[in-house]
Amino acid sequence: MPHFTVVPVKDQAQSSYDSLEGINWVDYRDTGQDYPDHQDTVSSDGHGNHKEDSPFLSGADAASKKNDFYDRNLALFEEELDIRPKVSSLLSRLVSYTNITQGAKEHEEEESAQGSRRKTPKSPNMGTLMGVYLPCLQNIFGVILFLRLTWIVGMAGIMQSLLIVLMCCSCTMLTAISMSAIATNGVVPAGGAYFMISRSLGPEFGGAVGLCFYLGTTFASAMYILGAIEIFLKYLVPQAAIFHATDPPGSDSAMLNNMRVYGSVCLSLMAVVVFVGVKYVNKLASLFLACVIISIVSIYAGAIKSMTHPPEFPICMLGNRTLVRDRFDVCAKTVVTGNTTVPSQLWDRFCLPGNMSSPQCDDYFIQNNVTEIQGIPGLGSGIIRENMWGNYLQKGEILEKPGLRSVDAHGGVENFGMYVSADIATSFTLLVGIFFPSATGIMAGSNRSGDLRDAQKSIPVGTILAITTTSLVYLSSVVLFGSCIEGVVLRDKFGDAVRKNLVVGTLSWPSPWVIVIGSFFSTVGAGLQSLTGAPRLLQAIAKDNIIPFLRVFGHGKTNGEPTWALLLTGLIAELGILIASLDMVAPILSMFFLMCYLFVNLACAVQTLLRTPNWRPRFKYYHWALSFLGMSMCLALMFISSWYYAIVAMGIAGMIYKYIEYQGAEKEWGDGIRGLSLSAARYALLRLEVGPPHTKNWRPQLLVLLKLDEDFHVKYPRLLTFASQLKAGKGLTIVGSVIQGNFLDSYGEMQAAEQAIKNMMEIERVKGFCQVVVASKVREGVVHLIQSCGLGGMKHNTVVMGWPYGWRQSEDPRAWKTFINTVRCTTAAHLALMVPKNVSFYPSNHERFTDGNIDVWWIVHDGGMLMLLPFLLKQHKVWRKCRMRIFTVAQMDDNSIQMKKDLATFLYQLRIEAEVEVVEMHDSDISAYTYERTLMMEQRSQMLRQMRLSSAERQREAQLVKDRHSLVRMGSLYSDEEEEVVEAPPEKVQMTWTREKCEAERRNRSNAPENFRELMSLKPDQSNVRRMHTAVKLNEVIVNRSHDARLVLLNMPGPPRNTDGDENYMEFLEVLTEGLERVLLVRGGGREVITIYS
């Protein structure tokens, strides 16, 4: 038994493939890695052709060639292994697929690497808790919980607040279910929501929703910054305010200006932090999350403690009105100093200085008592009954406690600043818009999909658990706030009644500062996270190259940091900062997030209903009805919270969609919208199959037969121009052409011709389809097109073909024979036919006819095509200002006056505006010109027929075989090869002569003078004379009346039944249209295409 040593070597051929586009091309061939289990024996011969190595090799050959016993089993497939890889090669590449998040990881590697050396990226190892659950918690919990939830409970009441929370959280839960289905349907690269939507709904929806998501994230950073500045200026360092109000009404504007200044400074600092050190933002994320959790725990601890020991936060009430507590020291009208009763600071605020016995005070102050109530009664106080229902206020309305006795009296305007009042008008819809941002952030897990050990398991579990947790926290917080805190304190947005304390902080334990500091750091952290994520999202959209003007934002630093995208994000966030009001920014980002969630649900619903083969999510707890419910809730919440913002957001998304559709780069991502279009098209085609269209629905569905030259350029592009003007974007247009040859050999030429036609269709703005067929004869190819183009009910009913120019000068009869054969085929198929003659003189789409006529010569009724075509042409801007004239021909026995009246009535009922004219054609003798022209036509036909039979012509044709074989084997539309092309003969023509052939040749030569004498004594056929007479007379009348018309339409006579008269038929058509600049010959399809009925 001989011993063989198998030596695997590296495949050198692979490097040539590596320069191709990375993700769009995957080279699946074996890389030649040293696998212990198997090696490769299929090698390359240097020309891309793989071959099996011989099992008997010398030692030197064995060292340089691959020889693997395993691949002998693949000998049947060895020639295709470069495009159809071995299963082992495919699996090795799929297993080694890595998914790295863009941005942060590269940044850390760049800063820690020395020189140009980079670290090998670590394999993803994050689980559900750290990778999805906690990041979602951090993103969902935010500024609204700490700054606005108590105010929402106070204004809306516990019941309506629970409804608001339930609506928003149900919307996000349904969206999370849809997102989980999409995220588990294959590998989701880093990019999160944008990647899922764009690959599910296509580049148009993906770009529009991706930008909406980007804008929402950007405005979220502005909202978090405004929340942080509000905490800073209201509760941490109030004395840091730059602008101060001189009077109470001006305090709001001063506060807004302070927010703008500090917000802009804070935004700049955060942008610098993100630009310089993203890794610090990511490392501090756990600290920010800890602040959020500690703050929430302190709220629960304070609520439980309030059952036995409620915190001391007394509220001073004047009558039933709430007073601003930090404007005076003692909640009383007078104070006792020693043994003397003196006015308090509160008295001095409401009364003029003077004698207390006859004071000049505010009427309301005099008639109502000052009382002090507990701001935090506690969980067991029963205050929940008062806070159960809503108490919406208008802007400037004073906060009042319904249960306290009050004497209604007129108070002075100058004392208005002493009361706590509403800063904005509130309603249920406004509160929905303000609260919804606190339910967003559910995409945090999908955005980190590249870091997850098992994304398809972690994303659904982690996201749904996070939403469940946050929903329970929000619902319980609403109940706790309504059960523990006095109603007027809840409605006090900035804590003026509790000495400028954060309202939620008054409930917390052990100190209000826990909430203040914790909420400040959590909002700063959330703002940094948004500023970090938004530029990367914009960079991902820009790198997809679907929106051309965003390409510049795809570039960044050498480590991948999106510098330009960060700059744009900062500018857009500054717009939110300049708005300066948290309550006005929140509904804006609500719109953008709701738009994004709406399309996530739509994507899941579309994929589920279409049942595409690739739709196989691992997450099974989804249903299209849930997705539609989530989509409906998103849409309802958009219009509930702010209908005008909703319209603006939808308008922005719509404009981006149309921009990408018309200007953006075309991408084929296997998205659901393409599948939806396919399903809709299939449904419509099946419906169309029921029967032929009614006359009212008939419109020309065109098959345009084009002629191409040797370089695959369209020879007569004005045919396409005419088709676009006739269709105006409506109905079906199929552009067809024929390449002569063998399909196996001419496939590349067919693709080149198809691309050339598509380019010309785009230039001429023809919306339709292109079909090129390869046939051994052009005539057969045209017949194939006429028979097989279209699908189901969407088939052509009209053929447009050009005129065979130069047919008289050509000795080759195949040009006009193909034309006449096409006319016969369209007639047999009951299709209408249009032949634009002199098509080069037809107007382009950029021309405009400001006057002129479109003349219709209605000689025989052919289904009404002649009436319909000018009407359709006049819909286009080129022909719009032309007038329509209809001429009909009256014979001797016709009543021309009555014909004109009847025709005018018919056009009136057809709702077509046109001038009507009846042309009388009297019987006249056949002129000598007609007789002579017929004679010349028949003599020419006879002469050409004899010439074709001569031996000289046969020799010339044999010589031309060689010349023709050297050209590109492509037939024009109007020339055909009767015989198959054979191999090229040698330079000299060699013919084999037999005795019979030699005698026949001599007879032909001796009979030539006799044939010529017969030709000269030929008498024209009487039927041809009659036809020529009709053509000449009609042409005289048409040229006389329509010589200056912009376009002349007339009936096209049918070809003769006897094929011997085909050449005469071409002559008749030439005579009929002589002297006319633009002629459209029209032949109906045998059915009515226009009706007088509605």
Side-chain angles (χ1 to χ4, degrees):
M1 181 74 183
H3 178 72
F4 293 99
T5 303
V6 181
V7 183
V9 294
K10 300 287 183 180
D11 186 359
Q12 301 298 325
Q14 186 188 359
S15 59
S16 62
Y17 288 86
D18 293 339
S19 60
L20 296 174
E21 276 188 61
I23 198 165
N24 296 325
W25 176 273
V26 180
D27 180 20
Y28 288 115
R29 297 175 307 156
D30 196 353
T31 56
Q33 293 175 356
D34 296 337
Y35 293 107
D37 298 333
H38 64 274
Q39 292 116 0
D40 196 359
T41 63
V42 178
S43 62
S44 175
D45 62 359
H47 301 284
N49 300 318
H50 288 258
K51 60 187 179 183
E52 186 176 359
D53 295 337
S54 169
F56 305 105
L57 299 175
S58 64
D61 290 335
S64 60
K65 290 190 174 184
K66 291 181 286 183
N67 183 12
D68 191 312
F69 180 77
Y70 169 75
D71 276 348
R72 294 177 192 172
N73 298 323
L74 299 179
L76 284 173
F77 307 95
E78 63 185 3
E79 292 184 357
E80 295 183 321
L81 281 179
D82 55 342
I83 57 173
R84 298 178 182 183
K86 294 188 301 181
V87 174
S88 59
S89 303
L90 173 67
L91 292 177
S92 66
R93 279 156 183 77
L94 290 178
V95 168
S96 61
Y97 172 81
T98 56
N99 187 4
I100 309 164
T101 52
Q102 181 188 17
K105 187 168 288 187
E106 288 91 331
H107 186 83
E108 291 186 31
E109 291 170 359
E110 181 70 22
E111 290 193 349
S112 58
Q114 296 179 359
S116 60
R117 184 169 49 87
R118 298 175 64 93
K119 290 181 183 177
T120 303
K122 295 179 181 179
S123 59
N125 56 4
M126 296 185 77
T128 303
L129 181 68
M130 295 301 296
V132 181
Y133 180 71
L134 292 180
C136 281
L137 280 188
Q138 182 184 358
N139 280 267
I140 295 173
F141 286 135
V143 63
I144 302 296
L145 170 63
F146 302 117
L147 293 184
R148 293 292 182 270
L149 189 56
T150 53
W151 174 72
I152 290 172
V153 173
M155 291 295 179
I158 293 175
M159 297 304 293
Q160 291 187 30
S161 298
L162 289 174
L163 180 61
I164 291 172
V165 173
L166 200 60
M167 285 170 58
C168 297
C169 293
S170 300
C171 177
T172 54
M173 179 62 82
L174 291 172
T175 305
I177 292 172
S178 300
M179 184 196 73
S180 299
I182 299 172
T184 57
N185 187 50
V187 179
V188 178
Y194 164 69
F195 182 90
M196 288 190 291
I197 296 170
S198 62
R199 269 58 178 182
S200 297
L201 292 179
E204 295 88 358
F205 279 111
V209 180
L211 278 183
C212 284
F213 192 45
Y214 163 73
L215 291 173
T217 309
T218 304
F219 274 102
S221 65
M223 184 189 75
Y224 290 129
I225 291 171
L226 288 174
I229 299 304
E230 183 178 311
I231 295 169
F232 179 75
L233 290 177
K234 286 281 187 181
Y235 311 114
L236 282 175
V237 191
Q239 56 271 30
I242 301 171
F243 301 95
H244 300 278
T246 54
D247 54 338
S251 60
D252 288 343
S253 60
M255 182 63 186
L256 293 179
N257 288 330
N258 286 322
M259 298 276 280
R260 291 185 181 105
V261 172
Y262 278 100
S264 301
V265 173
C266 185
L267 175 63
S268 303
L269 291 175
M270 285 186 177
V272 170
V273 170
V274 171
F275 179 76
V276 172
V278 177
K279 65 178 183 179
Y280 301 114
V281 177
N282 291 317
K283 288 179 178 178
L284 289 173
S286 55
L287 172 63
F288 298 141
L289 177 61
C291 292
V292 173
I293 294 174
I294 290 170
S295 301
I296 293 172
V297 169
S298 72
I299 293 172
Y300 283 100
I304 294 169
K305 181 176 178 293
S306 69
M307 293 181 66
T308 55
H309 298 86
E312 289 292 329
F313 284 99
I315 308 169
C316 191
M317 309 291 294
L318 177 60
N320 63 353
R321 296 181 179 179
T322 311
L323 296 174
V324 178
R325 193 64 182 85
D326 64 335
R327 298 210 168 193
F328 52 90
D329 52 358
V330 180
C331 182
K333 292 185 179 181
T334 58
V335 292
V336 178
T337 304
N339 292 324
T340 309
T341 302
V342 295
S344 65
Q345 288 184 4
L346 185 61
W347 181 283
D348 294 338
R349 293 282 186 179
F350 282 95
C351 300
L352 296 175
N355 191 1
M356 285 184 62
S357 57
S358 57
Q360 295 180 350
C361 296
D362 183 271
D363 289 344
Y364 189 86
F365 179 76
I366 291 294
Q367 298 184 31
N368 286 280
N369 295 324
V370 175
T371 55
E372 197 170 58
I373 62 173
Q374 189 65 21
I376 314 293
L379 200 57
S381 63
I383 196 70
I384 188 172
R385 288 189 295 272
E386 294 182 17
N387 295 331
M388 192 65 69
W389 306 108
N391 190 4
Y392 297 108
L393 302 176
Q394 296 300 314
K395 184 177 181 179
E397 193 173 341
I398 297 172
L399 271 61
E400 297 179 348
K401 181 174 171 59
L404 289 179
R405 191 178 67 85
S406 172
V407 178
D408 193 13
H410 180 70
V413 178
E414 64 276 3
N415 297 316
F416 180 77
M418 290 297 297
Y419 301 112
V420 181
S421 59
D423 63 330
I424 58 170
T426 53
S427 63
F428 179 79
T429 57
L430 175 79
L431 298 182
V432 170
I434 291 174
F435 176 77
F436 187 79
S438 64
T440 61
I442 61 173
M443 301 290 184
S446 62
N447 291 342
R448 294 167 177 258
S449 58
D451 291 330
L452 300 174
R453 187 185 308 114
D454 185 359
Q456 299 189 7
K457 177 184 175 183
S458 298
I459 289 176
V461 174
T463 305
I464 292 173
L465 275 179
I467 294 174
T468 305
T469 305
T470 53
S471 301
L472 290 175
V473 168
Y474 286 140
L475 291 170
S476 59
S477 297
V478 166
V479 175
L480 286 178
F481 293 157
S483 304
C484 298
I485 305 175
E486 176 63 51
V488 289
V489 179
L490 288 174
R491 291 187 287 278
D492 182 7
K493 184 187 290 185
F494 300 114
D496 292 328
V498 286
R499 296 186 181 274
K500 300 287 186 184
N501 277 300
L502 183 61
V503 174
V504 70
T506 60
L507 183 62
S508 65
W509 178 87
S511 167
W513 287 102
V514 175
I515 292 283
V516 172
I517 295 173
S519 61
F520 177 76
F521 280 112
S522 70
T523 50
V524 169
L528 282 171
Q529 294 280 1
S530 298
L531 273 182
T532 304
R536 281 159 181 75
L537 181 58
L538 180 62
Q539 188 181 39
I541 299 171
K543 283 189 173 181
D544 266 344
N545 203 20
I546 56 174
I547 304 176
F549 69 83
L550 288 182
R551 286 175 187 155
V552 65
F553 299 107
H555 306 296
K557 292 195 291 187
T558 54
N559 60 349
E561 280 297 297
T563 309
W564 292 105
L566 177 61
L567 182 61
L568 180 65
T569 303
L571 293 175
I572 296 174
E574 179 62 22
L575 295 178
I577 298 294
L578 293 178
I579 295 173
S581 172
L582 186 69
D583 304 316
M584 291 180 71
V585 174
I588 295 175
L589 67 102
S590 294
M591 291 304 117
F592 292 124
F593 278 121
L594 280 167
M595 181 81 71
C596 177
Y597 296 167
L598 185 149
F599 282 103
V600 169
N601 285 298
L602 175 64
C604 181
V606 166
Q607 298 276 37
T608 306
L609 288 175
L610 289 179
R611 296 177 182 175
T612 51
N614 190 52
W615 179 247
R616 303 184 300 273
R618 289 189 180 278
F619 180 77
K620 300 299 182 184
Y621 305 101
Y622 69 93
H623 195 269
W624 63 266
L626 291 177
S627 299
F628 267 115
L629 179 61
M631 188 173 70
S632 304
M633 288 191 70
C634 289
L635 194 62
L637 284 174
M638 286 175 69
F639 282 92
I640 285 173
S641 57
S642 178
W643 63 268
Y644 44 88
Y645 278 156
I647 291 174
V648 170
M650 294 172 78
I652 291 173
M655 287 190 291
I656 297 169
Y657 178 93
K658 297 306 290 185
Y659 178 81
I660 296 173
E661 187 179 34
Y662 286 113
Q663 299 291 333
E666 292 185 3
K667 301 281 184 181
E668 180 53 62
W669 286 330
D671 51 87
I673 293 299
R674 300 289 190 277
L676 186 63
S677 302
L678 185 64
S679 295
R682 172 182 166 276
Y683 175 77
L685 284 170
L686 291 174
R687 290 288 301 271
L688 282 174
E689 283 280 16
V690 174
H694 192 272
T695 304
K696 290 186 289 187
N697 295 328
W698 194 94
R699 64 167 63 245
Q701 316 286 10
L702 303 182
L703 169 61
V704 184
L705 299 177
L706 282 187
K707 181 177 181 180
L708 303 178
D709 59 17
E710 291 82 1
D711 297 324
F712 306 112
H713 296 144
V714 178
K715 202 162 186 181
Y716 300 111
R718 285 297 164 87
L719 273 175
L720 291 175
T721 309
F722 171 71
S724 71
Q725 293 168 3
L726 185 65
K727 302 297 290 181
K730 304 294 191 300
L732 174 72
T733 302
I734 303 173
V735 182
S737 188
V738 180
I739 293 179
Q740 186 175 344
N742 186 304
F743 178 74
L744 294 177
D745 300 331
S746 306
Y747 182 71
E749 295 172 10
M750 185 189 77
Q751 286 188 313
E754 221 171 79
Q755 191 58 48
I757 293 175
K758 285 179 181 177
N759 293 340
M760 187 55 66
M761 289 173 68
E762 191 173 343
I763 292 170
E764 297 295 340
R765 297 179 182 176
V766 176
K767 293 184 182 299
F769 309 98
C770 169
Q771 187 160 352
V772 179
V773 299
V774 180
S776 59
K777 297 179 182 178
V778 174
R779 187 184 303 178
E780 292 178 359
V782 172
V783 175
H784 294 334
L785 283 174
I786 291 174
Q787 288 184 86
S788 61
C789 277
L791 181 65
M794 285 294 285
K795 291 183 74 71
H796 57 278
N797 54 30
T798 306
V799 176
V800 181
M801 63 186 302
W803 179 260
Y805 302 102
W807 68 273
R808 280 175 174 161
Q809 291 76 25
S810 173
E811 295 178 355
D812 186 358
R814 292 186 284 269
W816 51 265
K817 280 191 175 182
T818 302
F819 175 80
I820 296 176
N821 185 65
T822 306
V823 176
R824 285 197 173 100
C825 288
T826 55
T827 305
H830 301 289
L831 301 176
L833 176 67
M834 288 187 285
V835 181
K837 198 161 179 283
N838 301 329
V839 73
S840 300
F841 296 108
Y842 276 56
S844 69
N845 285 323
H846 304 294
E847 296 179 44
R848 303 283 188 280
F849 287 143
T850 56
D851 57 0
N853 300 312
I854 299 177
D855 287 356
V856 177
W857 284 86
W858 192 17
I859 301 165
V860 294
H861 181 61
D862 207 4
M865 279 279 288
L866 286 170
M867 308 293 172
L868 186 61
L869 292 176
F871 171 77
L872 295 176
L873 278 175
K874 278 169 62 68
Q875 308 303 309
H876 196 273
K877 55 192 174 185
V878 171
W879 305 92
R880 188 166 293 151
K881 295 188 178 179
C882 292
R883 295 181 302 278
M884 184 174 163
R885 297 192 301 184
I886 296 182
F887 298 90
T888 190
V889 177
Q891 305 300 326
M892 282 296 293
D893 54 347
D894 292 329
N895 185 343
S896 58
I897 298 174
Q898 187 61 38
M899 278 182 67
K900 187 171 182 178
K901 288 182 180 178
D902 293 344
L903 182 55
T905 305
F906 179 60
L907 289 176
Y908 177 78
Q909 291 174 337
L910 287 176
R911 290 91 64 200
I912 291 177
E913 296 180 7
E915 290 181 38
V916 176
E917 214 167 316
V918 177
V919 179
E920 294 182 354
M921 289 187 66
H922 302 289
D923 286 341
S924 59
D925 295 333
I926 296 173
S927 64
Y929 170 75
T930 303
Y931 195 86
E932 183 184 354
R933 184 123 189 201
T934 309
L935 184 61
M936 289 172 59
M937 175 185 73
E938 293 191 352
Q939 285 177 347
R940 179 180 179 277
S941 299
Q942 187 71 17
M943 188 185 302
L944 288 174
R945 196 174 295 118
Q946 291 178 3
M947 286 175 63
R948 287 184 211 114
L949 296 174
S950 68
S951 64
E953 182 67 11
R954 286 204 305 273
Q955 284 189 3
R956 203 165 70 85
E957 282 295 325
Q959 180 63 34
L960 285 173
V961 171
K962 174 177 174 293
D963 302 332
R964 192 179 299 113
H965 189 74
S966 63
L967 295 173
V968 177
R969 296 177 60 202
M970 164 167 178
S972 70
L973 191 58
Y974 307 120
S975 65
D976 203 349
E977 295 296 334
E978 297 296 335
E979 294 83 27
E980 292 190 9
V981 179
V982 296
E983 291 297 320
E987 290 293 329
K988 294 180 180 180
V989 178
Q990 297 179 359
M991 303 181 70
T992 303
W993 292 90
T994 62
R995 178 174 295 180
E996 291 79 8
K997 281 186 179 181
C998 198
E999 289 176 359
E1001 182 66 20
R1002 287 199 191 98
R1003 282 198 300 271
N1004 284 337
R1005 289 180 179 176
S1006 62
N1007 291 337
E1010 292 181 19
N1011 292 339
F1012 183 73
R1013 282 194 293 272
E1014 286 178 12
L1015 198 63
M1016 297 309 294
S1017 62
L1018 188 70
K1019 289 186 178 180
D1021 184 79
Q1022 286 303 311
S1023 63
N1024 286 341
V1025 173
R1026 287 198 315 274
R1027 289 186 175 91
M1028 182 64 76
H1029 177 67
T1030 304
V1032 170
K1033 294 292 288 181
L1034 275 175
N1035 179 256
E1036 286 177 2
V1037 174
I1038 294 171
V1039 171
N1040 184 39
R1041 299 297 184 95
S1042 302
H1043 62 276
D1044 59 345
R1046 299 294 188 186
L1047 180 65
V1048 176
L1049 291 86
L1050 71 152
N1051 292 108
M1052 180 180 183
R1057 289 186 176 89
N1058 185 3
T1059 57
D1060 292 338
D1062 284 356
E1063 193 169 7
N1064 299 336
Y1065 172 70
M1066 296 297 297
E1067 188 69 34
F1068 295 146
L1069 293 181
E1070 284 283 10
V1071 173
L1072 184 62
T1073 56
E1074 264 181 356
L1076 298 172
E1077 185 182 16
R1078 301 185 192 93
V1079 186
L1080 181 63
L1081 296 170
V1082 180
R1083 186 162 172 75
R1087 60 162 294 170
E1088 292 293 331
V1089 301
I1090 196 165
T1091 178
I1092 62 174
Y1093 300 107
S1094 61

